[in-house]
Amino acid sequence: MCVFRIDGRACDELRPLAIETDYLTHPLSSVFISCGNTRVLTAASCEEKVPSWMKNQKVPGGWVTCEYGMLPSATSERCRREASAGKQSGRTVEIQRLIGRSLRMAVDLEKLGERTIYLDCDVINADGGTRCASISGAALALAIGCKRLFPVEENPFRELVAAVSVGIIDGTAMLDLCYEEDSRAEVDMNVVMTESGKLVEVQGTAEGAPFSRAKLNELIDLAEYGLKQIFARQREILENIR
Amino acid sequence: MCVFRIDGRACDELRPLAIETDYLTHPLSSVFISCGNTRVLTAASCEEKVPSWMKNQKVPGGWVTCEYGMLPSATSERCRREASAGKQSGRTVEIQRLIGRSLRMAVDLEKLGERTIYLDCDVINADGGTRCASISGAALALAIGCKRLFPVEENPFRELVAAVSVGIIDGTAMLDLCYEEDSRAEVDMNVVMTESGKLVEVQGTAEGAPFSRAKLNELIDLAEYGLKQIFARQREILENIR
Amino acid sequence: MCVFRIDGRACDELRPLAIETDYLTHPLSSVFISCGNTRVLTAASCEEKVPSWMKNQKVPGGWVTCEYGMLPSATSERCRREASAGKQSGRTVEIQRLIGRSLRMAVDLEKLGERTIYLDCDVINADGGTRCASISGAALALAIGCKRLFPVEENPFRELVAAVSVGIIDGTAMLDLCYEEDSRAEVDMNVVMTESGKLVEVQGTAEGAPFSRAKLNELIDLAEYGLKQIFARQREILENIR
Amino acid sequence: MCVFRIDGRACDELRPLAIETDYLTHPLSSVFISCGNTRVLTAASCEEKVPSWMKNQKVPGGWVTCEYGMLPSATSERCRREASAGKQSGRTVEIQRLIGRSLRMAVDLEKLGERTIYLDCDVINADGGTRCASISGAALALAIGCKRLFPVEENPFRELVAAVSVGIIDGTAMLDLCYEEDSRAEVDMNVVMTESGKLVEVQGTAEGAPFSRAKLNELIDLAEYGLKQIFARQREILENIR
Amino acid sequence: MCVFRIDGRACDELRPLAIETDYLTHPLSSVFISCGNTRVLTAASCEEKVPSWMKNQKVPGGWVTCEYGMLPSATSERCRREASAGKQSGRTVEIQRLIGRSLRMAVDLEKLGERTIYLDCDVINADGGTRCASISGAALALAIGCKRLFPVEENPFRELVAAVSVGIIDGTAMLDLCYEEDSRAEVDMNVVMTESGKLVEVQGTAEGAPFSRAKLNELIDLAEYGLKQIFARQREILENIR
Amino acid sequence: MCVFRIDGRACDELRPLAIETDYLTHPLSSVFISCGNTRVLTAASCEEKVPSWMKNQKVPGGWVTCEYGMLPSATSERCRREASAGKQSGRTVEIQRLIGRSLRMAVDLEKLGERTIYLDCDVINADGGTRCASISGAALALAIGCKRLFPVEENPFRELVAAVSVGIIDGTAMLDLCYEEDSRAEVDMNVVMTESGKLVEVQGTAEGAPFSRAKLNELIDLAEYGLKQIFARQREILENIR
C-alpha cells in the first residue's frame, strides 16, 4: 500500500494520460500529450533533404532529429527564454539528444529515403517527466507522420517507443513522478522501451545516494508495467487515424 | 459587398475570437487567445525586482516587459527554433518591442511598485495577426494579474488595450487579415488602441505601393470598428474573473 | 506662435539641413546628411548577387537591404559598441528593418536584376531623429547609385522617399524633434513618404498617454509640410550629380 | 573464448590502465589517466566561493562542477575547436553533465563549505571511453584534492567513484570498448559505481537494435568486474599520496 | 630618388596630415585625423569607475581602454558589419589591443584615479595605416581629455605617443604606406614612439620574405623621421586647445 | 654576471628544452615541446581542401593556419574555458594570428597544393613564453608533416622557424623569460627568426616604460643567441625522423 503519494495515486499508478492528435494546422502530424499537469505539444515536420554531414559522409537514407523547448511560463518559477538568452541550456541539450536517439530507433532510416523528419517537443506546462512525455508523444507523431508519408510504399516505421520515469522516494519505488516527487527522489530513472518490450535507453541517476542492483531491477519492472498502458493508448490512436 | 475573402468573411468581419483564461498552472495569470487559426498563449509572471538599468538610473516604480516567440511547428513551413539558432530574429525583436511598448501604456508603472511583470506571448499556431492577438491576449493577462496582485491596494492597471490588423487588398480595406491575405496585401497596418478609443500605436506599412491619407483614415476606422468587439470580450471576462 | 522650443525654432520648422555627397572614396555613392546636430553617413554598395533565400525561393530580380549603426561616441553618454557586445540591440534591429522596408519601396526590385544594394547608415553624431535622417540620406544615396549603375539601361529607381519625425510636446505638435524634445514627447511619430506625397510608413507611438485621431492627422499634416522641403533638397542634388 | 577483439584482449579484459598524479604544476591536484590509447588529463581547482544560483537560493555548503573538452588533434579526424566554433557541442554538454553529477555523489557538499571545486577533464588522445576515463581520473583528483584541503578538519570526501563502458558487439558483451568497437556496438552502456559497489549512474543506449533485460544484467555484471580493478588502482594511489 | 610611389611621394614623405578637434558634440574630446585618404574619428569618453577585474584585484588607480571599428563602407570592397556578424574579427581584436597598450603608456594610470577612459577609434575611410592613424589621433584626444579632466590637479598625462607604418617594397624602405603599397610590401612594420624619442611598440612582420637586421634598423630610422613631423602637429594643437 | 634570476639561470641561458615527437596517435605529426615548465602540445593535421575565401578569390595553392588554446588548469589561477565562455579571448586571437603568420613563412603555399594544414597549439602547462614555444614546436611539426606528405614530390617546406622571448628586467636584458620574470619585465619582446638568421616577426612592447634603440638591438642580439640553440635541436630531430 502506498498512502503517501501527494496526489493520492498508488505507487504503480500512472497519472491521467490524455492524447490529442492534429492539434496544429500546419505540420505533417502533431500530438498533444498530457500526463497529469505535464503537457507537451509534439509535432513532426518533413523536409526533403538530409543534413549536410550525411551528404558529406555519403550516409545513405534519411534522418530523424528532435528539438526540445519549454515555454518560459511552463514552470513554477518563470524560466528564462532560451531564444533571448542566446543558447539552449545544458539540460535542454541533454534532453533533446536523448529524445532524438530514442526516436531514431523507431524508424529504418535507410528506408526513409533522402528526408529529414523534425520532431519538435514543446513543453506547454511542466510538472515532471517532460522528457518521457515528449518521447511518448513524438513517437506517436512520428508513426502518424510515416503513415501519411508512405501510404503505398513500404513504411519505414518499425515500432512504437514510449518512455516513463520511475524513482525511489523514501525507499519506495514509484511510477511516473510528478515534479514535487521528482525533486525529492533518491533515485531517478527514465526508461525508454519498444512496444515489443525491449529496452531502447535506460538512464538511472542517483540523486541523493547510490543504489543497489536490486533497486535497479525493481524500477525497470515498474516502468515496464506503466509503459504497457501507454503503448495501448498509442496503438489505439494509431490504428484509427488516417 | 465583399464576396472574395478566402474564408467567406465580410470585409469588416473579425475572425472567430476565443479566449480561455488560466490555461497554465504556474504563472500569475494566463490567457489563451484564438483569432481564427491564430492561437497565442500569453502569460503574466511577476518578479519582485526591477531591471538593473532602472536600479542604476533610480527610476521609481516597476516595469512591464514582453517576450514573443513562435513554436517551430506553428507556421506553414517549419520555422527555425530561435533557441537553437542562438538568437531571436529581427522580426521577433521588432514584434516584442511593439508589444512591450503597448502594454506599458496600460499600467501606471510608478504605482506598480518595485516589480517586473513579464508577459510571454507564445504563438502555438500561426495564421496572420500574431502580434495583434498577442497584444489583445497579454493585455487581458496583465489586467487579471494586476487584479490578483492588488486585491486591496490601489490597482496600477489603467485601461485595457487591444490590437487588430487591417490592410488593403486589391484596393479594398479589410479587417483582421489571415496569413494568405496578409501576404498579398498592398498595405498592412497594425492599430493598438485603448478601451476608451485613443491610439496607442499605429504602424502602417506600404508593402506593394505607397498609400494615400484617405486610405490611412479608412483603415483606422475599420480597425476601430473591430477593436470595439474585442474590448467587449476582454471586458466581460475581466469582470467575471477572480 | 511657439516661443518655447529649446533651440528657438518655430513648431513647424526643420532643423538646418546639410547634405554632402561622395564623402567616401570607395562605395558606389555616399551621402553625409546633417539635420541639426544629427549627422548620419549613408552609403550604397552594390554586390552582383542576391541573398541565398532569394536564390532558394527563386524570387526574380534583386534586393535592397539596410544596416544601421551608431558610433559609441555619437550619444550623450557613450553607448556600448555592438560589435564588442556581440549583437545588435533591439532598437538597432527595429530601426534597420524600418529603413530597409522604406528604401525597397523606392526601387523596382525586379528591374534591378540579380544584384544586392547595401545601404549602410552610420550615425556619427546623434541628436534625435537618426532613423529619419538615415532614410532621407540613404534614399538619395540609392538614387545616385542607381543613376550610376544604369546610365543607359532603364533605371529601376522609382521615386525618392524621405522621412521626418513629428511629435506632441506639452500638447503641441512639433516638427523634426531634437533629442531633448524627443525624450519628453507625449507622442512620437515617424512618417516616411514618397516625393509624390504618398505614405510609405507611418509609425506613431504614444510615449506618455494615448492620442486622438485628430492629433494623428495634425501630426501627419506637419510631417508632410517638412518633407516637401527635404524632397526639394534631395531633388536638387540628384539633378546635378553625375 | 573471445578471439575476435581487435586488440587481442579477452571480452572481460580492461585496456592497460596507467595513472600519473600531479602532472601539472598549478592546480590543487591532477591525474593523468590512460586507458589504452585514451588519455585524459583531469585536474581539480578550488575557488573559495559558490555559484551565484547557490547564493541566491541560500543553499548551504559548496559545489563540485565539471568541464570536459577534447583537443582538436585528439581524434582520428581533427575535430573542430569548440572555443573557435563559439560553443560546446551537444555531445560535450551531455558528457560534462554526466561527469559533474557522478562526482557530486562522491562528496558531502554541505561539509565542503563555501567552496567550488572545478574538475577539468581534457582529452589529450581519444580512443573510446573518454567519459568513463574522465570520471575515474577526476574522482581520484577530487579525492586527492580533498585530502589536501582538509588535512585536519573532517574530510567531506565520501567514497571513490569510477566508470567503465561496456557494450554488445555481434551479440557478445565486452568490457571497456575502444573506439572501433564502440562505433560498431549494438548496445553501449556507461556504468558509474561507488567503491562499495552501489550504482551512481547507469546509461544504456541501443545503438542498432533494442536490447533485453537479460543483456542489461549481463552488461552490468561485466562492468562491476572491471570497476573492481579500477578501484584497486585508485585506492593504492590515494593511500600513498600526500 | 624615388619616382615609383603610386601617389608621387618621395620614399620618406608622409601623406598629407589633417587633424580636426572636437568634431563630435558629446564626448570629452574628439580628434578626426586624416592621413591621406585614411580618415579615423577618435574620441575619448570618461566613466567614473574602473573595470571589475581591477576592483576584484584591488589594482589602484584607473584604466585606459580602446575599441577599434571600421565602417562597412570604409573599404574598397564593403566589409561585413561586425555588429551584425556578432563578433569582432581577429584583425580588429589584434589592432585594438595594440592601440590600448600604446595609449596606456601615455598616462600614469595610478594618478588617473578611479576612472576609465574609453578611446573609440572608428575608421570612416580606409587607405592603409588605420591602426597608426588611430594611435596618433587617440593619443591627442587623450591628451586633450586629460587637460580638461585635470585643469587644476596634477595631470596624469605623461607624454604624447604617435605611430606610423613603414615597409619595404621592391627592396626599398618607404614611409607611411597607403593600401596599395601595403598590400604588396615585403615587410610591414608599425612603430609607436613617445615624443621624447623612445619606443613604445615595434611590430615588424615579414609578409613575403624574412628580413635582415640592417633592414630593421633602416625602417625604424625612417619611422622616427616621420614621427617627428606628427609630434610637431599634435604638439601645436595641444598647446592651443582649451 | 647575473646572480638574481629566480631559477638561478644566467641572463643569456635558455630554460631546459625538451621535445617529444609523435606523442599523439591520430594527427599527421605532433611535437610536445617543453621550455622549463611551459609545455605545449602542437600537432599538424592536413585536410585536402582550402578555405572558402581562397576558393572565392581564386588564390592558387594551399593554406597553413593555426589555433591556440590553453587548458583551464594550465595557469596559476584556473583560467576560464573559452569553449564554455563562448569565445576566444583577445589574447588568444592575437597569439594565434602571430603563430599563423610566422608558420606560413616556413612554407611555399603555392607548392603545397590544394591543402590546408592546421597547426593546433595547446598549452598543457604554462610558465611564460607559451607563444614562442608554440611557434618553435609547431614549426617542427609542420616540417615533419611536410616530409611525410611529400616523400617524393618537391617538398614545399622552406626553412625552419623558431621563436624566443627576451625582456628587460631591472634594466638588464634576459633570455627566455619565465612567468614571474615576464610579469615584472619593463620591456617584453618576441622574436621569430628563420634558421638562416633572418627576421620573421619582431614584437617589442614597453610594459612599464618606453625603451631606447640601443636596448632594442641588445634584445635582438640576445634572442639570436638563444634561437641558434633551438634551431640545433629542431634540426637534429628533423634529420632523424621518418
Side-chain angles (χ1 to χ4, degrees), chain C residues 23-27 32 37 39 41-43 45 67-78 80-88 96 118-122 124-127, chain E residues 23-27 32 37 39 41-43 45 67-78 80-88 96 118-122 124-127:
Chain C
Y23 185 81
L24 300 175
T25 60
H26 303 298
F32 197 173
N37 280 327
R39 294 202 282 269
L41 187 44
T42 67
S45 308
E67 289 188 353
Y68 170 94
M70 190 121 93
L71 296 196
S73 47
T75 48
S76 64
E77 303 229 341
R78 180 183 185 273
R80 190 163 177 204
R81 185 176 294 267
E82 293 183 330
S84 76
K87 57 181 255 181
Q88 295 179 301
Q96 75 188 7
Y118 290 91
L119 293 162
D120 286 294
C121 300
D122 285 277
I124 303 298
N125 203 68
D127 188 24
Chain E
Y23 186 81
L24 302 175
T25 60
H26 302 298
F32 197 173
N37 280 327
R39 294 203 283 268
L41 187 44
T42 67
S45 308
E67 289 188 352
Y68 170 95
M70 190 120 93
L71 296 196
S73 48
T75 49
S76 63
E77 305 229 341
R78 180 183 184 274
R80 189 162 179 206
R81 186 176 293 267
E82 292 184 329
S84 77
K87 55 180 258 180
Q88 296 179 301
Q96 76 188 6
Y118 289 90
L119 293 161
D120 286 293
C121 300
D122 285 276
I124 303 299
N125 202 69
D127 187 25

Side-chain angles (χ1 to χ4, degrees), chain D residues 3-210:
Chain D
V3 294
F4 43 73
R5 283 192 91 165
I6 61 160
D7 51 8
R9 277 188 288 153
C11 290
D12 62 354
E13 192 180 341
L14 289 176
R15 292 181 288 180
L17 175 68
I19 294 176
E20 182 177 350
T21 53
D22 293 319
Y23 185 81
L24 301 175
T25 60
H26 303 299
L28 176 59
S29 61
S30 63
V31 167
F32 197 173
I33 186 168
S34 303
C35 304
N37 280 327
T38 287
R39 294 203 282 269
V40 184
L41 188 43
T42 67
S45 307
C46 182
E47 205 179 37
E48 302 289 319
K49 64 177 188 183
V50 293
S52 53
W53 64 262
M54 281 187 82
K55 270 233 144 104
N56 296 343
Q57 294 175 29
K58 307 214 164 91
V59 180
W63 191 242
V64 171
T65 189
C66 170
E67 288 188 353
Y68 170 95
M70 190 121 93
L71 296 196
S73 47
T75 48
S76 64
E77 304 229 341
R78 180 182 183 273
C79 60
R80 190 162 177 205
R81 186 176 293 266
E82 293 183 328
S84 77
K87 57 179 256 182
Q88 295 179 302
S89 72
R91 180 186 168 278
T92 291
V93 168
E94 192 181 26
I95 289 176
Q96 75 188 7
R97 284 171 62 86
L98 166 64
I99 305 177
R101 279 198 306 268
S102 298
L103 274 290
R104 278 190 289 279
M105 288 300 297
V107 176
D108 184 323
L109 294 174
E110 218 171 314
K111 286 193 192 144
L112 184 58
E114 206 170 315
R115 288 182 179 86
T116 299
I117 298 186
Y118 290 90
L119 293 162
D120 286 293
C121 301
D122 285 277
V123 179
I124 303 299
N125 203 69
D127 187 24
T130 63
R131 77 191 72 187
C132 292
S134 296
I135 290 171
S136 301
L140 183 55
L142 180 58
I144 296 171
C146 284
K147 211 167 161 177
R148 288 173 179 164
L149 280 175
F150 299 89
V152 186
E153 290 175 80
E154 191 187 0
N155 188 339
F157 193 79
R158 284 177 181 151
E159 200 178 357
L160 282 165
V161 301
V164 79
S165 78
V166 283
I168 297 175
I169 299 171
D170 299 335
T172 305
M174 295 191 187
L175 179 65
D176 193 15
L177 310 187
C178 67
Y179 179 74
E180 200 180 310
E181 290 172 338
D182 184 76
S183 57
R184 56 192 206 80
E186 290 115 51
V187 179
D188 180 22
M189 183 172 298
N190 296 293
V191 179
V192 189
M193 274 197 169
T194 60
E195 201 180 1
S196 61
K198 294 232 167 145
L199 292 161
V200 170
E201 183 111 11
V202 176
Q203 290 202 348
T205 302
E207 298 283 351

